[in-house]
Amino acid sequence: MITVQGLGKSYGSTVAVDDLSFEVLDGQVTGFLGPNGSGKSTSMRLMLGLDFGAGSTSFDGTSLREAPSTSQTVGAHLDAKSFHPKRTARNHLRMLGQEARVSTQRVDEVIDLLGLESVARKGPGGFSLGMAQRLGLAGAILAKPRNLILDEPANGLDPQSIHWLRDFLKSYAAEGNAVLVSSHLLSEMQLMADRVVVIAKGRLIADDSMASLMSQGNGAGAVVRTDSASIDQLRTTLVAEGYQLENQGSDSIKVLDATTDVVGRLAHHAGVPVLELAAKQASLESVFLELTDSEQGFRTGGSQ
């Protein structure tokens, strides 16, 4: 796993990263979120030793400098244009594979896996952003590293490619690897990540499982639908129990901070027919906006 301890970086009087500590666990995709200018990219560069600053990062208990093979320890993709524009995509990957003595067979395997066959003999200078992202990810996974660090890998990808990326990263993590991914696509991150680290102004404000984080957000509850003749009775019953309600139409109510079990039992005891009952989670977007709304709203959730 990846262990980050006390990362710090300042540019003059501006603090970009402020005593940042968290873990990226094996077997999970960890989402790394924050507003623009929050310090995500700087933090990733510090983790990889690409920038100077305070703190330390270990990969499976070892610093990157002491690792026998850097590319087998961590694969990184931070910049979609980090290649020579005229060197072919295949030769680019062959060059990256030298440090870990990656075979030509593995290069071809990754080209096939990332859908780069049609451009393998072309220089990436003319690649679209989406194709450049694929080449960057190919380089990151080439040596089958135990850890992945990816900065906005879904930028420029079409919906089908984003779906593929989500499934691929979840599968890669499921093999026992640690995966850290930053993204502004919060709806996609909600589907992909097992855990979420949120920073703002360089400081940690949340580090929790996705499920726990969603349960803390405003808007969670249960939506119940009955017939129009029973809706007033259902509303009276729920208000009497102290629940806050939101109308969802002429025959539906959202019961805030309630489980489907509780709402179902209350409706049954009141003799109200239940035509539909479903849990309603807060969205990652709403939780993220709550967390990053203002300095007064910053909070740290969960254990590290």
Side-chain angles (χ1 to χ4, degrees):
M1 70 179 184
I2 307 172
T3 303
V4 176
Q5 289 287 341
L7 290 187
K9 177 70 177 180
S10 296
Y11 297 96
S13 61
T14 302
V15 179
V17 181
D18 187 3
D19 194 24
L20 182 63
S21 300
F22 62 90
E23 292 179 342
V24 183
L25 303 179
D26 289 342
Q28 296 186 1
V29 175
T30 297
F32 194 34
L33 308 179
N36 286 337
S38 61
K40 299 189 305 298
S41 295
T42 300
S43 298
M44 289 179 158
R45 290 181 60 82
L46 289 170
M47 291 169 66
L48 293 164
L50 299 176
D51 211 341
F52 295 105
S56 64
T57 302
S58 64
F59 299 87
D60 304 317
T62 303
S63 70
L64 201 53
R65 289 183 178 181
E66 298 172 345
S69 168
T70 300
S71 57
Q72 289 178 331
T73 300
V74 58
H77 175 39
L78 306 186
D79 182 356
K81 298 293 185 178
S82 57
F83 40 64
H84 191 287
K86 294 185 178 180
R87 183 182 291 121
T88 68
R90 188 170 187 273
N91 285 340
H92 172 73
L93 294 175
R94 290 180 64 188
M95 179 196 69
L96 292 180
Q98 291 299 308
E99 188 263 350
R101 298 183 179 179
V102 172
S103 68
T104 301
Q105 180 180 356
R106 173 61 180 169
V107 171
D108 291 337
E109 177 183 319
V110 170
I111 286 173
D112 180 64
L113 179 64
L114 272 296
L116 294 167
E117 306 96 326
S118 63
V119 297
R121 298 184 182 279
K122 296 180 180 179
F127 283 9
S128 66
L129 178 57
M131 194 60 74
Q133 291 281 31
R134 287 173 177 264
L135 180 57
L137 182 58
I141 66 169
L142 186 61
K144 300 181 180 179
R146 288 264 300 140
N147 307 279
L148 277 181
I149 296 179
L150 309 174
D151 193 6
E152 300 285 352
N155 275 2
L157 298 184
D158 57 34
Q160 291 85 355
S161 297
I162 291 175
H163 185 277
W164 174 89
L165 178 66
R166 179 209 314 159
D167 288 347
F168 174 80
L169 293 180
K170 288 177 72 70
S171 175
Y172 199 88
E175 294 175 358
N177 302 309
V179 179
L180 180 69
V181 186
S182 78
S183 179
H184 286 107
L185 301 177
L186 298 182
S187 59
E188 180 60 29
M189 189 61 75
Q190 186 170 350
L191 297 173
M192 181 193 302
D194 303 291
R195 192 169 188 86
V196 181
V197 172
V198 184
I199 67 173
K201 296 184 179 179
R203 301 192 301 274
L204 180 73
I205 60 173
D207 178 3
D208 215 336
S209 69
M210 180 67 76
S212 178
L213 201 64
M214 292 298 94
S215 69
Q216 299 172 28
N218 293 331
V223 175
V224 57
R225 182 170 67 87
T226 184
D227 55 50
S228 57
S230 304
I231 191 69
D232 289 338
Q233 182 181 355
L234 177 60
R235 185 179 289 109
T236 299
T237 299
L238 294 168
V239 169
E241 292 294 326
Y243 286 104
Q244 291 184 318
L245 311 180
E246 291 181 359
N247 290 328
Q248 301 288 297
S250 61
D251 58 359
S252 297
I253 297 171
K254 181 178 179 181
V255 190
L256 300 180
D257 300 320
T259 65
T260 53
D261 288 353
V262 168
V263 174
R265 289 193 186 99
L266 289 173
H268 174 73
H269 290 321
V272 173
V274 174
L275 304 181
E276 188 174 354
L277 181 58
K280 180 69 174 181
Q281 275 193 335
S283 69
L284 181 58
E285 179 181 20
S286 66
V287 174
F288 176 79
L289 292 175
E290 288 173 39
L291 288 169
T292 59
D293 183 52
S294 68
E295 285 197 54
Q296 287 71 33
F298 287 175
R299 67 174 184 258
T300 302
S303 59
Q304 296 183 44

